[in-house]
Amino acid sequence: MQDFTYHSHNFSQGITDGKNTCDEMLSKAEEIGFSEIGVSNHFIYHPNIPHDHAMYFNDFDKALDYAKRDIEQTREVASRHKIKVYAGFEVDFFPSKMWRNAFEKMLKEVKPDYVIGSTHSGFNKDETVFRNVWFLGQEAQKDEITKECLRNHWQNIIDCINSGYFAFIAHFDLASNLGVCVESEWNEWKWKVVEAFKQTKTPFEVNTNGIRRCGIPSPDWWIVKELVKADVPTLISDDAHNVDCLGQYFAEAESKLSEFGCKNRFRF
Ligand SMILES: [Zn+2]
Ligand SMILES: [Zn+2]
């Protein structure tokens, strides 16, 4: 069974959304017999993104400062533990040149060990209107501006895959996992994303946090099966935000992957 996760969160600097400290997360990972762990607090920066949470940054200097401290903290705590630790980020990707320049500056200055590609929102073409998929009710999704943001949300995942920045892509159908874009009209977008993975062979995670949330991982099993069939590399992620979620549902995910005949497993 996979004995590591590269997608985990902690409570960093009073800003991020993990429930335990980095030290507590690493201790628990050692206790359950993990051989290594990736620490991937969020890096969410965009000058126009709504400040839905302290970890959503509009100010690049503040985002950079947070990112530096986060990686420093991870490495400092790791030095006091036996387990092999990778210091990374789960990054919200945006397609504009402006964002890419800022992101590349962060990579150059902070030098994380790896970055995970992710998106938690949809936005309009010029990246001025945002819709966070976490907070979208069924009614809100019918609004035309929101629909445009959601179409761009799926296109953004394709751009994120094609960008080549990321070690692997996180929970790419998070929207449907949260009850957003579940109508059949969205299926063609899901297939376009599957196609992008097949073309680029970019690794994808099976995010077991979805199983805890709604009984289905992200991506959904039918997509996992499709990508495994195309030999796209995969790994299991618990996306743990507290110590109890480390390694959660790994046995279930392993058994599905072996049922699908998965041979191509990603690891550092
Ligand atoms: Zn996420
Ligand atoms: Zn995450």
Side-chain angles (χ1 to χ4, degrees), residues 115-158:
V115 280
I116 307 173
S118 181
T119 182
H120 301 85
S121 54
F123 37 86
N124 66 345
K125 271 277 175 256
D126 57 3
E127 299 176 15
T128 52
V129 177
F130 288 75
R131 293 288 184 271
N132 191 324
V133 295
W134 276 101
F135 308 124
L136 267 187
Q138 280 298 324
E139 276 311 299
Q141 294 170 48
K142 292 179 184 153
D143 162 69
E144 200 34 58
I145 297 167
T146 304
K147 277 194 161 183
E148 183 196 340
C149 290
L150 289 174
R151 282 190 293 272
N152 288 332
H153 168 77
W154 291 100
Q155 182 58 50
N156 190 45
I157 296 162
I158 295 169

Side-chain angles (χ1 to χ4, degrees), residues 34-52:
F34 271 10
S35 62
E36 50 185 23
I37 183 167
V39 178
S40 59
N41 283 322
H42 295 278
F43 180 81
I44 308 176
Y45 160 72
H46 193 288
N48 302 327
I49 200 165
H51 194 64
D52 290 328

